[in-house]
Amino acid sequence: DVVLTQTPVSLLISLGGQASISCRSSQSLVHSNGNTYLHWYLQKPGQSPQLLIYQVSNRFSGIPDRFSGSGSGTDFTLKISRVEPEDLGVYYCLQRTHNPRTFGGGTKLELK
Amino acid sequence: QVQLKESGPGLVQPSQTLSLTCTVSGFSLTSYHVSWVRQPPGKGLEWMGVIWTGGSTAYNSLLKSRLSISRDTSKSQVFLKMNSLQTEDTATYYCARDHWERGFDYWGQGVMVTVSS
């Protein structure tokens, strides 16, 4: 199975600051069709996960442009600029290029 | 709008079978796949399995021997059955629409299941 390693495990950020989360895969996430199915989610406290970014860099409907995704192959990054209180929670990456789908271990974003 | 809602018992005894229902609205089960994902208390997310638009299924190999996913398209419902439950199966169980391009783009609210005697 593909292993996704997220770093850091936790992140202390000041309001208005910038956060960067890494997701590294144990194998390339480029599908045979040329697409890369690496997605990012935020799980706010007490809520279900919500989709932020799909296929590396595409923001889902309603997601502000403070969230951006980048990367290729096995290395991916989620950046959150101008952090706001509603950004707090646990961030997960997910790959669905290979079966089974697998999640990263999560990165908890907290306020400094 | 797209909605998913899980339902089922909150408490299951060890060695018994868990049965959950995911009722969807705003989309057709013949147009979108649906996956089940679970999350033990305080831990991360684990994909359990998917039912494809055509009705076939795929499962996480770690759960495959115990897990079954089915559906009733006329009722817009997806079912999860998992047998031989143990305490480590205590978790919040989510169903999610599984979009080929966007991954799990909509999620249910989740249902907490405790395995205990």
Side-chain angles (χ1 to χ4, degrees):
Chain A
D1 296 358
V2 173
V3 176
L4 298 181
T5 302
Q6 282 186 238
T7 55
V9 172
S10 65
L11 205 44
L12 282 174
I13 300 292
S14 301
L15 285 178
Q18 177 167 296
S20 181
I21 300 170
S22 168
C23 178
R24 288 191 169 172
S25 174
S26 60
Q27 55 185 278
S28 174
L29 297 184
V30 180
H31 192 273
S32 56
N33 65 12
N35 292 336
T36 300
Y37 296 104
L38 186 283
H39 315 303
W40 289 96
Y41 295 83
L42 165 59
Q43 186 174 31
K44 298 180 182 180
Q47 295 187 18
S48 307
Q50 62 178 102
L51 176 63
L52 298 174
I53 301 282
Y54 63 94
Q55 287 190 57
V56 180
S57 59
N58 299 281
R59 278 186 300 276
F60 188 50
S61 174
I63 302 302
D65 60 6
R66 300 184 294 101
F67 292 87
S68 63
S70 63
S72 62
T74 60
D75 287 348
F76 303 92
T77 301
L78 174 71
K79 283 189 166 59
I80 311 148
S81 59
R82 306 183 304 280
V83 168
E84 298 186 6
E86 57 263 31
D87 301 337
L88 304 183
V90 181
Y91 290 79
Y92 294 95
C93 53
L94 162 74
Q95 71 80 24
R96 63 187 306 287
T97 295
H98 305 284
N99 282 317
R101 293 115 161 86
T102 49
F103 289 92
T107 296
K108 188 172 186 178
L109 180 63
E110 298 176 289
L111 279 182
K112 191 181 292 183
Chain B
Q1 71 276 29
V2 173
Q3 290 186 320
L4 302 94
K5 186 172 184 179
E6 306 87 348
S7 58
L11 181 66
V12 179
Q13 294 198 337
S15 79
Q16 296 302 301
T17 297
L18 172 66
S19 295
L20 297 177
T21 299
C22 173
T23 303
V24 311
S25 58
F27 69 96
S28 169
L29 295 177
T30 57
S31 297
Y32 292 90
H33 320 309
V34 170
S35 272
W36 287 92
V37 175
R38 70 177 180 175
Q39 183 173 40
K43 296 191 176 180
L45 300 164
E46 178 185 34
W47 177 75
M48 301 180 71
V50 60
I51 186 160
W52 306 110
T53 53
S56 57
T57 53
Y59 302 115
N60 186 323
S61 58
L62 295 176
L63 301 172
K64 189 173 183 178
S65 63
R66 301 194 289 140
L67 184 60
S68 173
I69 298 174
S70 60
R71 70 182 185 181
D72 183 336
T73 56
S74 67
K75 294 183 179 179
S76 294
Q77 292 181 323
V78 176
F79 309 106
L80 177 147
K81 284 192 193 309
M82 190 162 69
N83 59 31
S84 304
L85 252 60
Q86 302 301 319
T87 55
E88 50 265 34
D89 294 312
T90 293
T92 298
Y93 288 75
Y94 298 98
C95 59
R97 192 174 80 166
D98 192 335
H99 191 287
W100 176 243
E101 297 293 329
R102 300 197 299 250
F104 308 138
D105 58 353
Y106 292 92
W107 296 64
Q109 64 192 21
V111 59
M112 176 66 195
V113 175
T114 301
V115 181
S116 174
S117 55

